[in-house]
Amino acid sequence: MKHTGNYGMMAEFDSPTTLVAAARQTYEAGYKRIDAYSPFPIEELAEAIGFHHNSVPLVVLIGGLLGCASGYLLQWWISTVSYPINVGGRPYHSWPAFIVVTFEMTILFSVLAAVFGMLALNGLPMPYHPVFNVPRFAFATRDRFFLMIFSSDPKYRGSETKAFLESLNPRSISEVPQ
Amino acid sequence: MALRPDEQIEVVETKAPRAPVIEPGHTFATVTDKISSIVLTRPTSNGWLVGFGFSFLLTMVLLYAISYLFIRGVGIWGVNIPVGWGFAIVNFVWWIGIGHAGTLISAILLLLRQSWRNSINRFAEAMTLFAVACAGMFPVLHLGRPWLAYWLFPYPNTMNYWPQFRSPLVWDVFAVSTYATTSLLFWFVGLIPDLATLRDRSHNRALQMIYGILAMGWRGSARHWSRYETAYLLLAGLATPLVLSVHTVVSFDFAIGIVPGWHTTIFPPYFVAGAIYSGFAMVLMLAIPIRKFYGLEDFITERHLQNSAKVMLATGLIVAYGYGIEAFMGWYGGNRSDAFLLWNRLHGPYRAVYFSLLACNIFIPQVLWIRKLRSNPAWLFVISGVILVGMWLERFVIVVVSLQRDFLNSSWGMYYPTRWDWMTYIGTIGFFLACMFLFVRILPMISIFEMRQLLPQAEVKPE
């Protein structure tokens, strides 16, 4: 069975401990297209839903290298090629004087890469998302913890999935409309 | 010996009782509601209106002073030869130093896993942002033709001209603008999950729209949190060397010059310590009234005040060491100009300023050794004020006393600030306070999601 017209099914939990346990069980039961929502970061949770690879550090590294190279090359090109100024015969390529700006550019580019890279990888800004159709989901930013199985999961079967989620003892279960 | 987690908890509890970081009895819901209600449901109090009104008035004084400056030029200030760097640079260094504590609290203490910082980092970061905004105004206003400030940045232009990258003043442009950008982004990234909380907690359609747009559709997905935490940690790791570099570069503005009293290698560490010293004083001057008026004693506890006082004590002693080395090198270095500078500080026309700075920065803050005073908010508030004055005087001594009597007796002179200098300075204080008032009214002043993390129930218990 493919789509039931729903985006997925969502179960609500009380505490981080129960959510992490439920997420582990769901992943082990063979559901791979799942997500969990919590009001604060929970280290164990990403791992429990099978999210291991995080490419933010790579993006930041690339940003930093780019900033470092462009900062230094800019100063080198300006001081030796485009606008050389002879100050008492001192060398045009006076690299120690270029370190500070190179450092600041490295930091600036890394920071921009970290912030905008993180947002881009997260797909933010995203003005509409089906999870917000569930009224109880407003508590995901307060004190409730949610586990979601997407309907695109090959194992997703409306009633069967619901029965499975019920076996995890959630506070409530809601279907998430598209 | 490996301990089970529960055994470790016992070991911690047998230590001497310590004021908690967050008062017991709170849950995820109470923490969320308490902090978000300050913004969403609490009516605007008369105290806020009066405070904001007063600081807005001072902001208008700033605008008046700046407008007149644009019409007449920097001649309205007291700067002249030999003292060409008067209040503008004194205030620039003072403000940017204040900003440093915010970054120290949010970045360095995060890396050191000092979780007590979670309840003061948000407004300390806001403080950084507004302090840097105030700081940034002064060098630009000092340019003479401030509308050409963009010439400081390297961009291809028809004049076929580029900045001089061997000048510390150009380094400063890069350091301060990177610092301002980083502070803004760090602060905003920290706000995203809390903006989502405000979006979900508010019942007013307009507020939901505004906070919703700012939260950018944050939904707290585990994948998002994972990337978010990585990015946040990396930002902290990047901001840490950055904040140390900023005041170092500011000190290079002086140390690279040959003026006696400026040309010294102690400047970078001594400037950074002084920055953190004054910054923590400002954090306390803001935190003490805020926790009182908004009833946040549960979240900003005695522990925070004590820790901040200890940081001030430590950095204050580093600053005292800096003064000591300056005086020692003046006496021992054998350089006549340096020796004269020391004499001029102690006996010259500005000696009262030098002695007040010693009193404010070194002698009076030593009372923080007394535990009773350290845990008394009223006393801490007063001492913090004294330190802020002292640090301003320190910059005055560095800038003015060094310049007023340099190598040639015939070029000696005095520096007297004009009322425009004072209006600009006091105006920036007003601008800073007005921004702080707006911030505590429209944004969560304590990081809600990091407070939830501090609660014992946030721990995932092993199965």
Side-chain angles (χ1 to χ4, degrees):
Chain A
M1 195 171 81
K2 237 186 116 41
H3 254 234
T4 50
N6 274 340
Y7 184 72
M9 208 171 294
M10 190 183 258
E12 176 190 348
F13 296 91
D14 265 333
S15 74
T17 309
T18 47
L19 175 65
V20 170
R24 276 209 185 104
Q25 282 181 45
T26 312
Y27 192 75
E28 278 157 19
Y31 291 101
K32 301 295 175 205
R33 286 191 192 162
I34 56 176
D35 204 352
Y37 306 91
S38 59
F40 53 86
I42 302 169
E43 222 175 304
E44 297 87 342
L45 196 55
E47 196 196 321
I49 61 163
F51 179 71
H52 301 291
H53 187 70
N54 178 344
S55 33
V56 171
L58 182 68
V59 172
V60 176
L61 178 70
I62 293 170
L65 292 175
L66 215 65
C68 181
S70 57
Y72 194 88
L73 288 175
L74 176 79
Q75 296 178 82
W76 168 81
W77 178 76
I78 286 171
S79 309
T80 64
V81 180
S82 177
Y83 198 57
I85 303 174
N86 188 330
V87 184
R90 289 182 180 80
Y92 293 128
H93 183 201
S94 53
W95 66 267
F98 302 160
I99 297 298
V100 173
V101 172
T102 306
F103 172 79
E104 303 296 343
M105 292 286 277
T106 309
I107 299 280
L108 180 66
F109 275 53
S110 315
V111 165
L112 294 174
V115 174
F116 294 104
M118 180 270 288
L119 290 177
L121 288 168
N122 282 349
L124 299 175
M126 186 179 282
Y128 173 79
H129 195 275
V131 288
F132 294 114
N133 291 330
V134 178
R136 293 204 60 79
F137 192 72
F139 291 97
T141 54
R142 183 168 179 255
D143 59 343
R144 288 295 144 76
F145 303 80
F146 293 86
L147 179 70
M148 169 93 161
I149 302 180
F150 296 112
S151 61
S152 55
D153 191 286
K155 228 177 153 263
Y156 187 90
R157 308 276 184 281
S159 52
E160 222 175 275
T161 305
K162 191 166 186 179
F164 171 75
L165 282 177
E166 266 161 10
S167 73
L168 300 170
N169 287 325
R171 265 181 79 98
S172 71
I173 293 180
S174 350
E175 295 197 357
V176 183
Q178 201 50 270
Chain B
M1 194 183 82
L3 288 166
R4 290 204 319 277
D6 49 325
E7 281 178 316
Q8 269 173 336
I9 288 165
E10 271 177 335
V11 173
V12 172
E13 280 175 351
T14 51
K15 277 190 183 169
R18 224 171 172 191
V21 178
I22 176 166
E23 292 293 333
H26 276 291
T27 64
F28 299 133
T30 60
V31 166
T32 309
D33 294 347
K34 181 146 189 185
I35 302 172
S36 59
S37 71
I38 292 174
V39 177
L40 294 175
T41 53
R42 192 185 158 106
T44 307
S45 66
N46 288 335
W48 187 90
L49 283 173
V50 171
F52 177 72
F54 180 69
S55 39
F56 188 75
L57 209 70
L58 291 181
T59 312
M60 292 298 110
V61 171
L62 174 69
L63 285 184
Y64 178 57
I66 292 179
S67 306
Y68 193 62
L69 178 82
F70 282 9
I71 296 167
R72 293 292 305 275
V74 280
I76 64 166
W77 288 352
V79 286
N80 210 326
I81 301 304
V83 183
W85 274 13
F87 263 34
I89 304 303
V90 174
N91 297 337
F92 164 69
V93 179
W94 188 70
W95 273 120
I96 203 143
I98 286 171
H100 279 41
T103 318
L104 180 101
I105 290 170
S106 57
I108 301 182
L109 296 185
L110 179 77
L111 295 180
L112 297 176
R113 295 178 178 272
Q114 298 292 309
S115 53
W116 58 274
R117 94 200 229 289
N118 282 11
S119 47
I120 54 172
N121 70 332
R122 170 69 49 71
F123 79 80
E125 282 166 34
M127 176 196 87
T128 295
L129 205 57
F130 306 143
V132 173
C134 290
M137 276 185 232
F138 283 104
V140 171
L141 295 177
H142 200 205
L143 288 175
R145 289 184 288 169
W147 48 93
L148 299 177
Y150 63 93
W151 284 12
L152 291 163
F153 292 98
Y155 70 101
N157 54 65
T158 51
M159 300 172 283
N160 202 14
Y161 141 97
W162 291 99
Q164 171 55 279
F165 281 104
R166 298 176 190 93
S167 160
L169 300 179
V170 170
W171 302 347
D172 224 13
V173 173
F174 279 82
V176 173
S177 53
T178 300
Y179 186 48
T181 314
T182 305
S183 305
L184 176 69
L185 288 174
F186 198 34
W187 182 66
F188 181 68
V189 166
L191 268 170
I192 294 171
D194 287 356
L195 290 167
T197 298
L198 291 183
R199 170 198 66 202
D200 295 340
R201 303 304 305 151
S202 63
H203 300 295
N204 174 324
R205 185 77 193 138
L207 287 182
Q208 284 172 346
M209 296 275 286
I210 294 167
Y211 288 125
I213 289 168
L214 289 172
M216 298 188 295
W218 180 262
R219 51 189 189 274
S221 152
R223 288 181 178 81
H224 292 187
W225 275 125
S226 167
R227 295 192 190 102
Y228 178 92
E229 284 278 279
T230 312
Y232 201 63
L233 260 181
L234 286 172
L235 283 178
L238 291 165
T240 300
L242 175 66
V243 69
L244 298 178
S245 86
V246 173
H247 231 58
T248 302
V249 173
V250 169
S251 81
F252 283 167
D253 292 345
F254 299 94
I256 304 261
I258 55 159
V259 176
W262 289 5
H263 193 63
T264 150
T265 49
I266 190 100
F267 260 30
Y270 150 58
F271 264 55
V272 172
I276 292 163
Y277 190 36
S278 59
F280 264 89
M282 186 61 101
V283 166
L284 281 179
M285 284 204 86
L286 296 173
I288 289 168
I290 282 178
R291 79 195 270 272
K292 175 106 184 100
F293 293 130
Y294 287 96
L296 292 172
E297 282 95 343
D298 281 6
F299 300 151
I300 303 173
T301 63
E302 205 188 295
R303 172 105 168 264
H304 296 99
L305 304 185
Q306 289 255 12
N307 284 358
S308 306
K310 285 176 192 165
V311 173
M312 288 201 306
L313 201 50
T315 47
L317 288 173
I318 301 176
V319 168
Y321 173 78
Y323 297 160
I325 287 291
E326 271 189 328
F328 175 76
M329 290 312 287
W331 168 72
Y332 183 74
N335 181 318
R336 283 185 62 197
S337 304
D338 279 348
F340 173 71
L341 177 84
L342 178 63
W343 181 90
N344 194 32
R345 280 184 180 174
L346 292 168
H347 305 285
Y350 293 104
R351 60 185 175 275
V353 179
Y354 189 62
F355 286 118
S356 328
L357 108 83
L358 291 182
C360 292
N361 284 349
I362 301 183
F363 299 114
I364 297 173
Q366 296 312 314
V367 300
L368 292 174
W369 288 102
I370 304 163
R371 197 195 182 94
K372 215 170 169 183
L373 287 184
R374 226 168 39 219
S375 50
N376 181 329
W379 269 106
L380 272 180
F381 186 80
V382 172
I383 293 166
S384 301
V386 168
I387 291 171
L388 279 172
V389 171
M391 287 308 291
W392 189 87
L393 294 174
E394 179 206 295
R395 277 66 182 254
F396 185 89
V397 165
I398 290 174
V399 170
V400 173
V401 179
S402 297
L403 285 173
Q404 63 121 185
R405 289 179 170 179
D406 63 0
F407 306 100
L408 217 58
N409 301 35
S410 58
S411 62
W412 286 5
M414 289 293 286
Y415 168 76
Y416 300 106
T418 63
R419 69 191 135 130
W420 300 102
D421 281 306
W422 285 110
M423 278 161 69
T424 316
Y425 174 45
I426 293 169
T428 51
I429 296 176
F431 174 71
F432 173 80
L433 290 176
C435 290
M436 282 309 291
F437 272 108
L438 283 178
F439 162 70
V440 298
R441 190 69 198 87
I442 60 182
L443 290 170
M445 67 179 110
I446 294 179
S447 173
I448 309 175
F449 84 90
E450 283 173 309
M451 290 305 279
R452 294 187 198 114
Q453 260 181 308
L454 276 187
L455 294 171
Q457 54 268 48
E459 196 97 359
V460 176
K461 291 171 194 72
E463 287 158 74

